[in-house]
Amino acid sequence: MAARALQALPRLRALNRLQVILQHLKMSKQTDSTAEVLLEKKGGAGIITLNRPKALNALNLSMIQQIYPQIKTWEKDPETFLIIIKGTGGKAFCAGGDIRALTEAGKVGDKLTQDFFRGEYRLNNAVGTCKKPYVALIDGITMGGGVGVSVHGHFRVATEKTVFAMPETAIGLFPDVGGGYFLPRLSGKVGYYLALTGCRLKGRDVLKAGIATHFVESEKLPALEKDLIALKSPTKEKIADLLNSYHMKCTIDQEKAFVLDEHMEKINSIFSANSMEEIVKKLKQDGSPFAMKQLETINKMSPTSLKLTLRQLREGASMSLQEVLRMEYRLSQACMKGHDFYEGVRAVLIDKDQSPKWKPAALEEVSDEFVDNCFKPLGNDDLKL
């Protein structure tokens, strides 16, 4: 028996060697420039590069399924000290989730409508609970799903090219990916305002709103990344120090006031109302150009989405990230079964006529009972984190 075991040893060694080689090949395959997401280890850093520049690095299920286990692996690896996520192409960090694929799947009852949201929300949670310092370089367009893979991490570095938005109410959805967690925690009622109107914030305003933690010139990002990679077994404090040093040197728009500063009082008073109807009433009563502009925007949004969103944020304000993601999964499934999501995507992304026909068409027609149903537990189908 012992002799036979000894004979098997070289075979085992060869097999192990083969496995090591295969592992290396697998890692190098993921740094192939045509892959949708690149996963590499450089120095002490694990680097995730979203690589669909033509689609503005929108996240699809296959990317989500590659990123999630890699974060979990790096988390356990004693030689990985931080994780960096970035996008290619210079235009976008990540413009959102792959909404088109979802629409097509939903129409034919494909289970992608479950798998996508499950996978995406589990990834959002992995970012939010990551034990290693997580640095998102949010250079360029950062919306929806792109916010989900950045905002829950320790560090978010914005640049003068950053454009942030949660524009979901315009397509019959709601600001998901943990929006119910981070939006109500922004100062005053800014998060409610951003969620309901889909308002875009640019450059340094993304920092001032509390969405980014640092602000660095876009052209300095390669140097920053190089310095992060070169850190020798850094602590979270060391990483923060390095980010701070870049942040302090950046003077772009330093003197500019926060774009929403002059409207803060109105935002805080109007968006603290506890129903959509009341928000609309307050906007009408206010009558200022700012209020009228918000009213016009809100009138274009899906009434169902607006009601779901307001309740999502009001409830999310006192929930943990995990509870929020479970709630949002329920809402996502309600939207996939409804009308407005498909109509919104048609009007905004497919036909681009920008005139969706919402059903119901008015806030008053979206009953409390309907809204309550969207928040109901799904039993066995609930999101497991």
Side-chain angles (χ1 to χ4, degrees):
M1 189 67 198
R4 204 180 307 154
L6 276 172
Q7 273 176 329
L9 263 177
R11 256 214 324 261
L12 256 175
R13 277 199 202 100
L15 208 79
N16 279 344
R17 233 189 352 260
L18 185 65
Q19 274 173 325
V20 169
I21 292 165
L22 284 172
Q23 188 58 40
H24 277 284
L25 280 173
K26 201 170 128 201
M27 275 313 274
S28 66
K29 184 189 100 219
Q30 288 167 336
T31 55
D32 149 26
S33 62
T34 58
E36 296 181 317
V37 59
L38 315 176
L39 303 163
E40 312 162 80
K41 184 74 198 302
K42 286 188 184 170
I47 301 174
I48 302 162
T49 308
L50 307 176
N51 190 37
R52 292 180 72 201
K54 286 198 178 86
L56 299 177
N57 299 324
L59 282 176
N60 59 28
L61 184 58
S62 123
M63 293 159 79
I64 290 164
Q65 287 171 336
Q66 291 173 68
I67 299 167
Y68 178 86
Q70 187 62 73
I71 288 177
K72 292 296 179 192
T73 304
W74 280 332
E75 230 177 356
K76 289 192 199 83
D77 173 27
E79 295 306 303
T80 303
F81 297 96
L82 74 151
I83 296 171
I84 298 170
I85 186 167
K86 60 179 183 168
T88 54
K91 269 175 98 170
F93 164 65
C94 170
D98 198 339
I99 296 288
R100 248 168 219 257
L102 270 179
T103 324
E104 283 152 29
K107 283 180 185 162
V108 296
D110 186 299
K111 74 182 203 351
L112 176 71
T113 54
Q114 293 157 36
D115 297 345
F116 179 83
F117 289 107
R118 272 210 178 101
E120 187 179 29
Y121 297 176
R122 283 180 67 204
L123 174 57
N124 302 150
N125 188 51
V127 172
T129 57
C130 191
K131 292 182 184 73
K132 300 281 165 88
Y134 184 97
V135 183
L137 305 176
I138 55 171
D139 189 30
I141 299 165
T142 304
M143 297 183 185
V147 177
V149 291
S150 56
V151 78
H152 305 295
H154 305 103
F155 304 110
R156 290 91 61 189
V157 183
T159 75
E160 73 280 7
K161 286 159 70 179
T162 304
V163 182
F164 162 92
M166 293 300 275
E168 290 81 3
T169 55
I171 55 162
L173 215 50
F174 57 95
D176 63 339
V177 298
Y181 183 79
F182 84 87
L183 289 163
R185 284 166 175 79
L186 297 177
S187 82
K189 295 291 167 185
V190 165
Y192 291 78
Y193 166 73
L194 295 172
L196 296 167
T197 64
C199 165
R200 294 180 172 202
L201 293 175
K202 296 179 178 156
R204 208 178 267 272
D205 286 331
V206 179
L207 172 82
K208 291 186 171 152
I211 292 145
T213 56
H214 295 81
F215 186 79
V216 172
E217 275 153 276
S218 180
E219 59 175 40
K220 294 281 195 296
L221 289 185
L224 170 60
E225 190 185 328
K226 218 171 136 190
D227 285 350
L228 283 167
I229 290 166
L231 289 173
K232 292 279 170 273
S233 44
T235 56
K236 196 172 156 189
E237 288 66 37
K238 274 249 185 66
I239 293 162
D241 289 344
L242 178 60
L243 292 171
N244 289 338
S245 75
Y246 271 82
H247 172 80
M248 297 312 284
K249 285 188 202 118
C250 181
T251 55
I252 298 174
D253 290 339
Q254 220 170 16
E255 279 73 55
K256 257 172 116 174
F258 179 36
V259 70
L260 298 176
D261 262 353
E262 53 177 318
H263 308 299
M264 271 326 290
E265 239 174 278
K266 287 187 196 300
I267 288 172
N268 291 342
S269 104
I270 293 166
F271 290 88
S272 63
N274 49 24
S275 75
M276 267 321 296
E277 288 87 345
E278 206 181 321
I279 288 175
V280 167
K281 197 174 118 194
K282 283 184 159 194
L283 286 168
K284 284 179 179 159
Q285 281 170 348
D286 182 282
S288 66
F290 173 76
M292 290 301 99
K293 196 171 161 236
Q294 306 323 311
L295 188 60
E296 193 189 337
T297 301
I298 281 172
N299 281 332
K300 290 187 181 135
M301 304 306 189
S302 152
T304 301
S305 291
L306 290 169
K307 286 207 165 176
L308 292 180
T309 299
L310 182 59
R311 173 149 166 203
Q312 170 207 359
L313 265 61
R314 288 175 65 89
E315 298 212 353
S318 58
M319 287 178 169
S320 67
L321 176 61
Q322 291 69 36
E323 288 167 331
V324 164
L325 291 167
R326 269 193 289 276
M327 164 179 75
E328 291 180 354
Y329 181 72
R330 293 165 187 168
L331 293 179
S332 77
Q333 297 312 292
C335 289
M336 291 303 108
K337 290 185 180 76
H339 163 274
D340 280 4
F341 170 65
Y342 303 97
E343 175 57 12
V345 171
R346 180 205 65 73
V348 175
L349 300 175
I350 296 170
D351 300 340
K352 298 191 167 125
D353 57 35
Q354 311 301 332
S355 46
K357 307 278 174 281
W358 305 123
K359 278 185 203 162
L363 284 168
E364 296 70 37
E365 295 164 31
V366 183
S367 71
D368 291 348
E369 187 190 1
F370 174 82
V371 173
D372 287 345
N373 269 327
C374 297
F375 283 83
K376 283 215 172 99
L378 301 171
N380 259 348
D381 289 334
D382 258 331
L383 178 67
K384 291 161 193 71
L385 291 169

